[in-house]
Amino acid sequence: MNLDQLAALRTPDGAAALAMAAELADGDPLAAAAALRGAGTPPGLAAAALTQAELRRRAAGKFGPDAAGMFFTRTGLEQATRAEVARRRAARLRAAGVRTLVDLGCGLGADAIAAARAGIRVYGVEADPVTAAMAAANAEATGVADRFTVRTADATRTDVTMIDGDPVDAVFCDPARRHAGTGRRVFDPAAYSPPWEFVLDLVARVPRTVLKVAPGIPHAMLPAGAETEWVSVAGDLVEATVWAGPLAEVPRRATLVPRDPSGTTDELTGTGTARPPVGPVRRYLYDPDGAVVRAHLVAEFAATVDGSLADPEIAYVYADAPAPTPYARCLEVLDTLPFSLKRLRAALRERGVGRVEILKRGSALEPERLRRDLRLSGPESASLVLTRVAGAPTVLVCRPVA
Ligand SMILES: C[S@@+](CC[C@H](N)C(=O)[O-])C[C@H]1O[C@@H](n2cnc3c(N)ncnc32)[C@H](O)[C@@H]1O
């Protein structure tokens, strides 16, 4: 998509093409293109409208009903924050007294729109002209164009103390973690854009800086003194947020957001340095949420269920009782076996197990290969946990606790 195509989509003819594409988007793409051209839509506009219709449909999972009026690039959509996560971050910024925010690398505007909706004046800065134009269009589509404006500029050359004569309260930066040309994921923070060095310097220069980073970021790279919050949505670990300066409330936080926005969000906080007690395998096993594990809050979680580890390096927590908890899945341990394919096969045959789910931590075994090698048959199901107990490869045969 280029700027001319985006401008064409925003004309009355473009809007009509988009509406028709939205209706045809479920069917055969060639037939949809032919139908649009048959209705007199120029081929370039028809192709752009069909691409947008497909992206809008995919975006509904992240943006809800807003997606139907917004504009997307494929890479921009992949990198955009989910609406519920952006809304929570914006609410915290507003509650901390932030009134003006610069969003460096605002992308399609997911975070900026949420902040504007929370009542914050947002100045977006975006290096890519098409993405910047889409962000401006998205501000209009979501009714916040009076509070979210976008300029096409390089974040590293932007004044982050005053913007358009407005003193800046806080800076948000969600650096691109995909290669601008290929769209491939970038794992090395040094290759983020804007670069990590610039981002860390922001934290040093701007008192109230907020960063969105990959949830797998090594703890050693996190800015000293800042809070880092790992966020999962319905059990999927989606991102980490760094809250620097006076915005930091605790060293580490795990935030568990439900899929249903009307559900309860649970938070666990701590230092990230406590070590849980270590003991034997006990009757119940808890598999903590990814946000709890990545935040290094397993000790804090274990304390809530009176639990312990069976291996100091592995984040499965064992306890004597099945306490209801939002922070982990609970399984009842039926059998603990030193790992041996033969013994496991015999144990499962004895129980009539024909179907298994396989969980693993601290095991190099490939679950799908193991499943094939087990040659299961029988009416029962079981959960297999591949792990280590006091350093020894172990398999636990379990059943989920409702
Ligand atoms: C991860 S995306 C932001 C997504 C956004 N937070 C959202 O949820 O929609 C990062 C954006 O930063 C932009 N970017 C990368 N380097 C930049 C730079 N030096 N200056 C301004 N923007 C930059 C990229 O073009 C990309 O759109």
Side-chain angles (χ1 to χ4, degrees):
M1 165 97 44
N2 59 36
L3 283 172
D4 289 342
Q5 287 168 324
L6 176 62
L9 283 174
R10 301 191 69 208
T11 62
D13 283 352
L18 277 168
M20 194 167 168
E23 279 180 23
L24 296 168
D26 278 341
D28 169 24
L30 288 178
L36 272 158
R37 286 201 302 273
T41 312
L45 184 58
L50 284 166
T51 303
Q52 278 309 306
E54 185 227 323
L55 291 173
R56 284 177 172 182
R57 219 168 31 146
R58 284 179 37 194
K62 267 191 179 173
F63 289 86
D66 284 336
M70 292 173 69
F71 292 90
F72 301 98
T73 60
R74 226 167 272 282
T75 318
L77 173 57
E78 273 159 16
Q79 300 190 95
T81 304
R82 290 160 202 242
E84 182 52 21
V85 176
R87 191 193 63 72
R88 291 184 51 79
R89 182 159 41 228
R92 178 163 166 186
L93 279 166
R94 190 67 193 84
V98 171
R99 285 165 191 284
T100 52
L101 179 75
V102 172
D103 183 345
L104 294 176
C106 67
L108 297 171
D111 286 291
I113 290 166
R117 282 181 166 158
I120 298 172
R121 174 67 177 93
V122 188
Y123 296 93
V125 177
E126 172 54 53
D128 176 58
V130 174
T131 306
M134 284 190 176
N138 290 341
E140 268 182 43
T142 52
V144 295
D146 59 331
R147 266 162 294 144
F148 168 34
T149 50
V150 187
R151 62 175 65 175
T152 305
D154 182 345
T156 62
R157 293 165 187 273
T158 300
D159 180 359
V160 288
T161 51
M162 286 287 281
I163 197 158
D164 287 357
D166 228 359
V168 175
D169 285 341
V171 172
F172 174 68
C173 184
D174 170 10
R177 287 178 266 136
R178 283 185 188 265
H179 188 275
T182 61
R184 285 217 192 98
R185 219 180 269 271
V186 164
F187 292 100
D188 177 7
Y192 284 3
S193 184
W196 189 242
E197 220 172 77
F198 164 78
V199 171
L200 283 183
D201 185 52
L202 262 185
V203 174
R205 279 189 298 135
V206 182
R208 296 203 275 188
T209 301
V210 180
L211 310 173
K212 174 181 157 188
V213 294
I217 189 165
H219 284 230
M221 287 185 61
L222 295 168
E227 169 183 336
T228 307
E229 175 188 24
W230 278 264
V231 182
S232 67
V233 178
D236 284 341
L237 185 58
V238 293
E239 63 161 72
T241 308
V242 175
W243 301 87
L247 295 171
E249 293 173 358
V250 286
R252 301 284 182 260
R253 185 189 305 263
T255 299
L256 283 62
V257 179
R259 192 178 303 285
D260 174 2
S262 63
T264 315
T265 292
D266 292 286
E267 294 187 3
L268 194 65
T269 58
T271 60
T273 54
R275 308 287 295 174
V278 179
V281 170
R282 293 154 74 185
R283 181 159 168 200
Y284 293 95
L285 175 151
Y286 292 86
D287 180 17
D289 185 277
V292 173
V293 176
R294 281 299 312 161
H296 292 183
L297 294 174
V298 174
E300 284 79 354
F301 161 65
T304 68
V305 293
D306 201 10
S308 50
L309 305 185
D311 185 293
E313 301 306 322
I314 299 190
Y316 287 132
V317 172
Y318 301 84
D320 298 328
T325 172
Y327 305 118
R329 218 183 134 200
C330 183
L331 304 165
E332 183 178 3
V333 180
L334 306 174
D335 249 336
T336 303
L337 308 169
F339 186 81
S340 137
L341 183 61
K342 228 167 134 188
R343 282 188 66 178
L344 178 59
R345 204 186 276 146
L348 295 176
R349 195 165 298 146
E350 204 171 292
R351 290 180 178 274
V353 171
R355 272 171 302 127
V356 289
E357 67 160 344
I358 302 178
L359 287 72
K360 68 168 199 162
R361 282 191 200 279
S363 165
L365 288 167
E366 288 173 32
E368 284 323 307
R369 173 134 193 229
L370 174 65
R371 193 191 301 278
R372 276 198 308 275
D373 291 347
L374 285 170
R375 300 195 299 270
L376 299 167
S377 76
E380 303 301 327
S381 60
S383 306
L384 300 183
V385 180
L386 310 175
T387 188
R388 290 198 310 264
V389 170
T394 303
V395 56
L396 309 173
V397 182
C398 302
R399 74 168 154 234
V401 173

